[in-house]
């Protein structure tokens, strides 16, 4: 009797332990998969989503599986949630081209993902029984048309509904990824450069070569921004201009060689350099396309090697700055989040430069800024509109194709892509800068929509000309080889300095006493156009260019008027919408970076601010601008 009572007591205890055992919940960021296969990481919407995501960008051919392994500690039934969306739903079309499966230990779940919901949300994938130990998870792309996944949850808690609101979701991520409450210390620097495009690279290298300890933070796996193999915009604008004829030497050091340098070489006063450029082009005839060319045309490796060679420069790739701290009117630190792991890092600094293009750092610290077009009554500019508005120059989704020896096929996209006919289609083999959209949209909050519309246009047009048009035989052996999934932006926020450069300053050659780099590109404004009877949202643009004489841009356009230690370089400097048309090209923005690196050195040497350089030490900056900071090959 006593033995029976003991057995009963032990059984009750065991049942109680099971009843009160914690449910196991495994949270996994899709972009942290150990093997991404053919999937790519997209971070362009991190300021909106607070996370990057994986995307199957296969141009209509399913990409290789992304794989990872998780450790399961408890046996049981696991409910599976996948955070995804049907990316074409905002246009009320059918077809769900972004379909994918989740395989668990090689077996697909019954649910197909990416088939519902215009917004990012948790799609329930059913339940599955798992044993303790390692379990392999795989994303299996079904279409090659940009299926996407943010995160996965496996949980034994049948009552768990994952949060979707950003604040709650952020807390949920942190808890289940076991992130610390404070970011990891990434060091203290003389200059923190946020953004690794041409302007950012030149800012960082210039400062490092002048003895500053520099952090360069880039939110992509490659450097170069619009001038990288991811976006493929050729470098434009002349360098080595009077009066500072050595500005541009660093741009020249990191820049690629291509046939587009013919026109630059013809205008170069240095005959020896011109001859060397022509010879290099003769030896590399394949590097002929300025925009949307071969990946090798943009020399990603060269930029990386130049940066990595600097002992004073610390490079942080795949890191997106999302937060900043101020003390009074000074920035003291920024926090970046890895686009791969989600881990956070804190960078302390004395000086900061915003080279993000979007003015992200300036926005985070409350710098004065503008978006869109100013009214003519405010600026007096000849080409300013009567009333201010939010029109900006748009984002290009470029693409290219190649002629092959055999015919190739392309999938039918009629149910979901933008539809074309003989009148509206473009019988093109390449989409250049003018395949541009989003001029009437918010380039930061709506960038996923803007880019996705560009994809729908590129795929829909290619489907028509290759499969349906009267000229389809011309395209039989033509294969779509590249479509950008990172949008090439031209304009978003502009940060305001002590001088806001205007169109008439440039056209009338107004001389400022703090002139620095010289801009040579025409005042080039882009406007959306609708051609050939096309009735949808515009996807092409025209360029309205006012030619100029070489013009020196004032130093006071390169620092914030209300954040004491913030520089800016790139398309987010202190100019009006119209004046942006000339300074936004990449060789010009690279020279901005060279100047900022020099100004930062003057700041450190004299314990002063960016404004203090203008007020007290501008002659020191002038001396530095006369010396080459780069090591050009010519």
């Amino acid at each position: 009797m006593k033995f029976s009572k003991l057995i009963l007591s032990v059984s009750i205890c065991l049942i109680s332990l099971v009843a009160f055992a914690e449910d196991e919940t495994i949270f996994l960021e899709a972009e942290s998969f150990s093997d991404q296969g053919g999937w790519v990481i997209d971070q362009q919407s991190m300021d909106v989503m607070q996370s990057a995501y994986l995307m199957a960008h296969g141009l209509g051919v399913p990409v290789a599986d992304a794989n990872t392994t998780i450790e399961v500690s408890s046996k049981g039934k696991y409910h599976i949630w996948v955070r995804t969306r049907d990316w074409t739903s905002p246009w009320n079309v059918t077809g769900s081209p972004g379909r994918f499966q989740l395989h668990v230990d090689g077996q697909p779940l019954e649910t197909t993902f990416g088939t519902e919901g215009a917004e990012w949300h948790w799609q329930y994938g059913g339940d599955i029984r798992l044993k303790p130990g390692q379990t392999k998870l795989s994303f299996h792309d079904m279409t090659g048309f940009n299926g996407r996944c943010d995160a996965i949850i496996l949980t034994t808690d049948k009552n768990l509904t994952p949060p979707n609101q950003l604040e709650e979701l952020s807390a949920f991520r942190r808890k289940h990824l076991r992130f610390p409450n404070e970011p990891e210390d990434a060091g203290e620097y003389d200059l923190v450069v946020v953004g690794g495009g041409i302007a950012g690279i030149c800012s960082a290298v210039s400062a490092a070569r002048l003895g500053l300890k520099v952090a360069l933070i880039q939110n992509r796996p490659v450097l170069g921004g619009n001038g990288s193999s991811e976006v493929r915009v050729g470098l434009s604008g002349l360098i080595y201009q009077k009066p500072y004829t050595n500005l541009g030497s660093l741009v020249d050091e990191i820049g690629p060689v291509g046939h587009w340098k013919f026109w630059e070489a013809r205008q170069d006063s240095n005959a020896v350099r011109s001859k060397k450029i022509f010879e290099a082009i003769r030896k590399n005839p394949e590097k002929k396309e300025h925009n949307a060319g071969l990946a090798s045309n943009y020399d990603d490796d060269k930029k990386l090697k130049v940066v990595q060679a600097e002992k004073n420069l610390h490079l942080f790739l795949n890191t997106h700055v999302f937060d900043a701290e101020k003390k009074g009117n000074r920035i003291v630190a920024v926090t970046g989040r890895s686009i791969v792991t989600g881990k956070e890092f804190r960078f302390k600094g004395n000086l900061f430069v915003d080279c993000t293009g979007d003015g992200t750092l300036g926005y985070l610290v409350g710098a004065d800024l503008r978006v869109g077009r100013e009214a003519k009554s405010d600026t007096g500019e000849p080409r300013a509109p009567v009333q201010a508005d939010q029109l900006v120059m748009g984002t290009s989704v470029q693409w290219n194709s190649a002629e092959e020896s055999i015919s190739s096929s392309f999938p039918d996209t009629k149910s979901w892509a933008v539809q074309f006919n003989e009148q509206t289609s473009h019988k093109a083999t390449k989409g250049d800068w003018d395949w541009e959209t989003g001029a009437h949209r918010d380039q930061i909050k709506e960038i996923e929509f803007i880019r996705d519309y560009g994809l729908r246009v590129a795929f829909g047009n290619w489907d028509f000309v290759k499969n349906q048009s009267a000229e389809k035989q011309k395209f039989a052996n033509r294969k779509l080889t590249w479509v950008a999934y990172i949008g090439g932006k031209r304009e978003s926020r502009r940060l305001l300095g002590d001088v806001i450069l205007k169109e008439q300053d440039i056209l009338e050659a107004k001389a400022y006493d703090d002139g620095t780099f010289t801009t040579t590109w025409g005042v080039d404004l882009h406007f959306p156009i609708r051609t050939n009877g096309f009735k949808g949202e515009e996807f092409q643009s025209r360029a309205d260019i006012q030619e100029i004489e070489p013009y020196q841009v004032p130093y006071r356009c390169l620092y914030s008027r209300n954040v004491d230690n913030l520089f800016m370089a790139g398309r987010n400097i202190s100019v009006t919408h119209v004046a942006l048309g000339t300074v936004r090209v990449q060789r010009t923005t690279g020279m901005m970076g060279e100047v900022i690196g020099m100004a930062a050195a003057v700041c450190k040497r004299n314990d002063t601010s960016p404004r203090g350089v203008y007020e007290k030490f501008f002659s020191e900056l002038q001396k530095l601008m006369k010396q080459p900071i780069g090591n050009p090959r010519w």
Side-chain angles (χ1 to χ4, degrees), residues 29-44:
E29 295 277 18
E31 58 273 19
S32 70
F33 269 41
S34 57
D35 171 16
Q36 292 171 6
W39 296 63
V40 295
I41 296 179
D42 187 349
Q43 94 309 330
Q44 294 169 100

Side-chain angles (χ1 to χ4, degrees), residues 40-45 51-53 55 220 451 485-486:
V40 295
I41 296 179
D42 187 349
Q43 94 309 330
Q44 294 169 100
S45 299
S51 174
Y53 58 86
M55 184 166 67
R220 293 298 304 159
R451 187 277 316 277
Y485 69 91
I486 301 294

Side-chain angles (χ1 to χ4, degrees), residues 438 440-447 450:
H440 297 286
R441 295 186 176 275
D442 188 315
Q443 295 284 313
I444 297 164
K445 293 180 180 178
E446 295 183 272
I447 186 58
I450 292 168

Side-chain angles (χ1 to χ4, degrees), residues 230-478:
E230 292 190 319
V231 185
R232 305 190 189 183
V233 176
L235 274 58
S236 296
L238 298 179
I239 52 180
Y240 301 128
Q241 298 294 295
K242 297 178 181 179
Y244 301 112
T245 55
N246 282 308
L247 282 180
S249 60
L250 181 53
V251 181
D252 208 1
E253 180 180 348
I254 67 172
V257 177
H259 278 200
W260 58 86
K261 293 203 72 164
F262 269 122
W263 65 272
E264 181 177 340
R266 283 199 298 267
Q267 300 179 64
D268 197 317
S269 59
N270 187 317
V272 174
R273 185 164 54 222
S274 294
K275 183 177 180 180
K276 289 181 178 179
I277 291 173
F278 286 130
E279 181 63 19
I281 293 169
R282 186 186 67 78
K283 292 179 179 179
N284 294 276
E286 74 281 359
K287 293 194 171 186
K288 62 183 179 179
E289 291 182 287
H290 189 49
N291 297 326
L294 298 174
S296 59
N297 286 12
Y298 305 92
D299 283 350
D300 293 344
D301 288 344
K302 185 202 298 187
K303 302 180 186 78
L304 182 62
K305 288 177 182 177
V306 170
V307 168
Q308 290 178 329
E310 295 301 320
K311 64 179 182 179
N312 294 327
L313 202 168
H314 304 261
L315 175 62
F316 300 87
L317 294 172
N318 293 315
T319 305
H320 180 79
V321 169
F322 70 96
D323 196 13
E325 304 164 43
K326 282 175 66 181
K327 187 175 182 179
N329 286 332
R330 291 179 60 83
I331 310 170
V332 296
V334 298
T335 302
R337 178 179 291 138
S338 168
I339 70 171
V340 178
T341 66
K343 291 183 178 179
E344 296 173 1
F345 304 89
R346 183 173 182 263
F347 303 82
K348 292 180 285 186
N350 185 45
L351 296 165
F352 294 81
V353 53
D354 188 330
C355 299
T356 63
D358 283 334
T360 301
L361 178 55
Y363 172 79
L364 290 171
V365 297
D368 292 341
L369 57 85
R370 287 179 183 167
V371 177
R373 302 192 294 179
E374 296 90 344
K376 188 184 292 287
S377 59
D378 292 332
T379 66
E381 294 173 304
R383 287 194 288 173
V386 174
Q387 293 183 332
D389 58 31
Q390 295 296 295
L391 183 76
V392 296
M393 288 180 276
T395 292
S396 288
V397 176
Q398 300 185 132
W399 58 272
N400 211 334
S401 63
E403 185 75 13
E404 298 188 328
S405 59
I406 59 174
S407 63
S408 60
S409 62
F410 189 76
D412 183 344
T413 67
K414 287 194 290 295
S415 65
W416 56 269
V418 173
Q419 294 304 294
F420 291 88
N421 55 38
E422 292 292 351
Q423 180 186 11
T424 61
S425 62
H426 293 254
K427 312 301 192 297
T429 59
K430 172 184 174 181
D432 212 307
W433 63 266
D434 54 342
W435 288 64
E436 178 181 342
T437 188
H440 297 286
R441 295 186 176 275
D442 188 315
Q443 295 284 313
I444 297 164
K445 293 180 180 178
E446 295 183 272
I447 186 58
E448 187 178 8
F449 181 98
I450 292 168
R451 187 277 316 277
D452 287 349
Y453 183 67
L455 294 179
R456 291 182 63 238
V457 166
F459 293 142
N461 185 76
W462 188 252
D463 177 11
F464 181 81
V465 299
K466 187 168 178 64
N467 297 330
Q468 305 165 58
S469 75
E471 300 177 32
K472 64 182 182 181
Q473 277 304 115
K474 295 180 181 179
F475 292 85
N477 288 15
R478 196 113 200 147

